[in-house]
Amino acid sequence: MLLEEIMNRDVATLFPTQTLKEAAATLRDKKIRHIAVINEAREVIGVITDRDIKQATPSTLLESNDYSVLDTPVEKIMTSNPITGHPLDFVEETATIFYDNRIGCLPIVSQGKLVGMITESDMLYKFIELTGVTQPGSQIEIRVPNKAGVLFEVSKVFYEHNINVLSVLVYPDKKDELFKILVIRVKTINPLKLVSALEKEGFHVIWPSQPKM
């Protein structure tokens, strides 16, 4: 999946000379947490967040009424030259950029100009969608040998029972590198007949576990 499929194209922007007061109003009115700072050529030169503004402004608990700091240009506190992405970057690879750099947003740039924005919330929701959990169904976890063709063998059982697969995740078995765990989301509320069929074919179903006779 590419970033252009999930990025927000209606991006809030400010120029570097606009004030913290304007930035705070934009965040409040648009109910967002990140704003891209651009120049006249729509090139991204910074990012300013709600956290930046909170750190720069006086606490409401203080007695001072001096809020002149709100007239400060955003360029004084913004994160300059932020990491950017491209619309054709893969979502999965971009997720590692968020994690490795502990960032909350990623401006998306094409031909040097801002064209979109991705936030950590966007990324998280997309991965939730990819698990299939937003659709009604059931989850089955199967421990399988780490070898080619296993997924095909498992899929045959689903096909024979006319069960539609919503998503498949594969991760290593932490206890034994010779095995992997398949997490399969299927479009059925009661998967017990399917579990029985998988076990009959010799697969080790971890979840849901059935009572032993």
Side-chain angles (χ1 to χ4, degrees):
M1 179 174 288
L2 303 176
L3 289 184
E4 66 177 2
E5 299 176 57
I6 68 168
M7 69 183 189
N8 178 14
R9 298 173 188 272
D10 182 20
V11 185
T13 61
L14 290 173
F15 292 116
T17 54
Q18 290 185 264
T19 65
L20 299 191
K21 185 177 181 179
E22 291 174 288
T26 300
L27 292 171
R28 182 183 62 247
D29 294 345
K30 294 184 176 294
K31 296 181 172 62
I32 57 176
R33 295 166 51 201
H34 314 87
I35 304 174
V37 182
I38 61 174
N39 59 20
E40 296 289 347
R42 204 169 172 77
E43 297 168 330
V44 178
I45 59 175
V47 166
I48 188 166
T49 70
D50 57 346
R51 179 177 297 181
D52 296 331
I53 295 174
K54 287 176 183 174
Q55 290 178 342
T57 53
S59 168
T60 55
L61 298 178
L62 297 177
E63 294 182 356
S64 171
N65 292 322
D66 181 12
Y67 287 92
S68 59
V69 68
L70 293 176
D71 295 325
T72 303
V74 295
E75 62 185 344
K76 294 290 186 182
I77 67 165
M78 71 181 186
T79 298
S80 301
N81 301 314
I83 301 171
T84 61
H86 187 275
L88 300 183
D89 289 343
F90 288 109
V91 171
E92 297 84 348
E93 295 172 354
T94 302
T96 65
I97 295 175
F98 272 82
Y99 180 79
D100 291 343
N101 296 280
R102 299 290 191 270
I103 56 176
C105 71
L106 187 73
I108 308 302
V109 174
S110 178
Q111 297 182 340
K113 299 182 186 301
L114 177 70
V115 295
M117 178 82 90
I118 296 286
T119 69
E120 57 186 349
S121 297
D122 297 330
M123 297 294 296
L124 179 59
Y125 183 72
K126 182 48 61 180
F127 276 96
I128 291 173
E129 276 193 325
L130 290 175
T131 67
V133 76
T134 56
Q135 303 179 61
S138 304
Q139 181 168 307
I140 299 176
E141 296 187 16
I142 312 168
R143 185 171 184 258
V144 298
N146 185 10
K147 65 179 184 179
V150 170
L151 185 57
F152 172 72
E153 296 297 327
V154 172
S155 299
K156 283 200 304 183
V157 179
F158 289 82
Y159 173 76
E160 290 166 358
H161 288 76
N162 195 30
I163 298 294
N164 192 17
V165 175
L166 298 174
S167 69
V168 179
L169 299 176
V170 183
Y171 62 88
D173 185 339
K174 293 180 179 178
K175 298 178 181 177
D176 191 339
E177 64 180 13
L178 297 178
F179 289 85
K180 285 193 173 183
I181 308 297
L182 302 180
V183 181
I184 303 175
R185 186 102 183 148
V186 293
K187 196 172 183 179
T188 180
I189 300 302
N190 186 354
L192 294 183
K193 287 185 178 179
L194 187 59
V195 169
S196 296
L198 288 164
E199 291 178 335
K200 187 177 179 181
E201 294 296 325
F203 293 110
H204 178 195
V205 179
I206 301 172
W207 181 266
S209 58
Q210 299 197 85
K212 303 299 182 185
M213 300 298 292

